[in-house]
């Protein structure tokens, strides 16, 4: 599988061997209980009850696991995966390092639940500096970080974590497994939201944990079985179907981001442009060394909230929505969700529209929006 290109790997990931008369991707199996063998009970087959066992989910896990290069367990959402990993690993008295500039719901969970449990939470910006990791149980990084798009050198941090006896988890949501393979770079575990570019159609929520450690995967599987944070069979099937086009979607999204970055860089009325694929970007050197491709997400500042609204209103191809990585170009003013960002800070997620159409539409919308107040 690894010798093939990204498109081939995505199209074939997790599919059963071809069998005459059978579909390429078997349809979703909807089952709560399954028939049991009357003598052997659950030991008589792979499926006993829907919370731990579902064949549709297992095929999706094979697919994502192949792409990440580890064993995978999928969850009902990215948050379910991340909080599941944190609660599987952390005990009172442990220390966890989390990104200060990453997805805000993880910080909220740490402040609301982990600290109340007696876990010491240390917040560190994605670019560091990272503290001495002695005595730290787990370091979680997001690279590129959402929404600021800073990048951290995963291999270097993995080495430091290993030397200190800490585990390193990488949130691979923004990059996707086609953008980088954190397990190859030395991370112990990957967590991600599959809601974004992995599945890319803005129609489902999904999360996953992937690792090469059997012990860790067993612990996470036990956590999921007892807490029930599973995706339904239909969402798992939709996700698997969508995964097949990830290479094509990411290719267009990245090309669009490159063209949009060039447009924005040339405008004096846009500041703070970030896209790790631009040679002028502070994250460029590390991103180009460790990433195989840069995702279609950029950020920039339009000065104030009104101007952001005027820009989105004037655009025909940019819609206001949170989340990112989907087929449609979306813009999100992050301060409205409580991110510690300037009032005019926008995270823009390029969709798969034609590049020339998107660039022309955005240029016209910026002109129509006028300058900041
Ligand atoms: C980097 C990152 N991790 C995790 C999540 C949580 O994922 P979900 O919304 O699928 O729970 C998000 C959501 O935006 C995210 O951006």
């Amino acid at each position: 599988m690894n010798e093939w290109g990204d498109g081939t790997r995505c199209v074939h990931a997790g599919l059963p061997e071809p069998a005459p008369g059978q579909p390429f991707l078997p349809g979703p199996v909807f089952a709560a209980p399954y028939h049991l063998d009357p003598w052997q009970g659950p030991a008589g087959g792979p499926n006993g009850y829907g919370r731990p066992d579902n064949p549709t989910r297992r095929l999706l896990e094979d697919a994502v696991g192949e792409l990440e290069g580890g064993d995978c367990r999928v969850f009902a959402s990215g948050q379910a995966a991340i909080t599941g990993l944190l609660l599987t690993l952390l005990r009172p008295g442990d220390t966890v390092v989390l990104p200060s500039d990453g997805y805000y719901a993880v910080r909220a969970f740490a402040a609301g639940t982990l600290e109340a449990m007696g876990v010491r939470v240390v917040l560190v910006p994605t670019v560091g500096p990272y503290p001495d990791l002695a005595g730290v149980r787990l370091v979680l990084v997001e690279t590129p970080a959402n929404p600021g798009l800073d990048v951290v050198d995963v291999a270097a941090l993995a080495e430091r974590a290993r030397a200190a006896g800490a585990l390193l988890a990488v949130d691979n949501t923004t990059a996707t497994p086609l953008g980088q393979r954190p397990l190859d770079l030395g991370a112990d575990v990957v967590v991600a939201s599959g809601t974004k570019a992995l599945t890319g159609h803005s129609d489902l929520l999904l999360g996953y944990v992937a690792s090469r450690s059997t012990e860790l995967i067993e612990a996470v599987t036990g956590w999921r079985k007892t807490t029930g944070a599973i995706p339904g069979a239909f969402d798992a099937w939709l996700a698997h179907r969508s995964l097949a086009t990830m290479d094509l979607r990411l290719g267009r999204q990245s090309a669009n981001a490159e063209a949009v970055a060039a447009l924005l860089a040339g405008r004096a009325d846009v500041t703070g442009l970030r896209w790790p694929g631009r040679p002028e970007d502070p994250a460029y050197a590390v991103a180009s060394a460790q990433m195989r491709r840069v995702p279609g997400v950029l950020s920039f500042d339009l000065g104030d909230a009104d101007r952001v609204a005027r820009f989105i209103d004037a655009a025909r191809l940019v819609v206001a929505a949170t989340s990112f990585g989907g087929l449609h170009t979306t813009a999100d003013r992050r301060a409205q969700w409580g991110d510690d960002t300037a009032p005019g800070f926008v995270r823009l997620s390029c969709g798969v529209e034609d590049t020339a159409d998107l660039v022309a539409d955005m240029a016209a919308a910026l002109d129509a929006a006028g300058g900041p107040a």
Side-chain angles (χ1 to χ4, degrees):
M1 187 84 182
N2 270 340
E3 75 274 16
W4 286 329
D6 288 353
T8 313
R9 294 192 305 127
C10 286
V11 163
H12 288 277
L15 295 187
E17 285 299 313
Q22 295 303 313
F24 289 35
L25 174 65
V29 174
F30 298 115
Y34 300 82
H35 290 296
L36 293 179
D37 181 290
W39 287 273
Q40 296 187 68
N47 301 312
Y49 185 59
R51 185 157 23 79
D53 312 319
N54 183 279
T56 310
R57 204 162 67 210
R58 283 198 297 269
L59 287 182
L60 174 63
E61 290 173 343
D62 289 347
V64 178
E66 277 172 30
L67 297 175
E68 286 287 3
D71 274 348
C72 169
R73 293 295 176 270
V74 293
F75 283 77
S77 67
Q79 276 303 101
I82 294 169
T83 57
L85 180 75
L86 294 173
L87 291 173
T88 299
L89 292 176
L90 298 171
R91 295 291 172 268
D94 283 348
T95 298
V96 64
V97 173
L98 298 178
S100 60
D101 52 351
Y103 185 50
Y104 72 99
V106 175
R107 282 195 303 282
F109 174 77
T113 302
L114 295 181
E115 286 186 335
M117 264 171 62
V119 172
R120 194 167 78 92
V121 177
V122 179
L123 299 179
V124 177
T126 298
V127 289
Y130 286 81
D132 180 2
L133 300 179
V136 171
R137 169 78 173 129
L138 176 70
V139 181
L140 169 67
V141 294
E142 243 180 71
T143 182
N146 166 29
L149 303 175
D150 269 328
V151 165
V152 58
D153 182 335
V154 173
L157 192 59
E159 210 170 299
R160 280 190 58 189
R162 197 174 313 110
L167 293 171
L168 177 64
V170 175
D171 184 324
N172 211 19
T173 301
T174 308
T176 82
L178 298 190
Q180 71 199 359
R181 301 223 311 177
L183 300 178
D184 287 348
L185 297 171
D188 298 286
V189 54
V190 169
V191 283
S193 168
T195 311
K196 325 288 178 192
L198 186 88
T199 58
H201 287 65
S202 308
D203 54 7
L204 61 85
L205 279 93
L206 184 80
Y208 68 89
V209 173
S211 177
R212 292 175 185 161
S213 157
T214 311
E215 193 190 351
L216 196 146
I217 287 294
E218 272 174 12
V220 163
T221 309
W223 169 271
R224 188 185 63 176
K225 177 177 171 177
T226 51
T227 59
I230 50 163
F234 189 65
D235 282 0
W237 179 83
L238 261 187
H240 200 160
R241 192 174 82 148
S242 301
L243 204 67
T245 55
M246 181 166 50
D247 172 60
L248 298 173
R249 288 183 282 105
L250 292 186
R252 177 61 69 81
Q253 287 169 339
S254 290
N256 281 352
E258 187 173 2
V260 165
L263 166 77
L264 298 177
R267 292 191 65 115
D269 56 355
V270 176
T271 60
L273 172 65
R274 293 298 309 268
W275 186 58
R278 274 185 84 225
E280 298 80 4
D281 194 276
Y284 180 77
V286 181
S288 31
Q290 82 183 2
M291 298 185 71
R292 301 173 61 239
R293 50 169 99 191
V294 180
V297 184
L298 328 90
S299 62
F300 51 91
D301 197 332
L302 291 186
D304 61 63
D306 262 19
R307 183 159 180 249
V308 175
R310 291 200 302 277
F311 159 65
I312 299 173
D313 208 33
R316 293 159 69 202
L317 298 179
V318 181
V319 293
T322 195
S323 201
F324 53 91
L327 298 175
H328 309 87
T329 297
T330 58
D332 195 18
R333 196 176 69 77
R334 289 305 299 169
Q336 71 190 345
W337 299 95
D339 264 357
D340 185 19
T341 47
F345 175 99
V346 176
R347 183 186 65 207
L348 186 100
S349 173
C350 292
V352 300
E353 297 87 356
D354 285 289
T355 307
D357 292 342
L358 181 61
V359 170
D361 185 58
M362 283 189 60
L366 285 167
D367 290 342

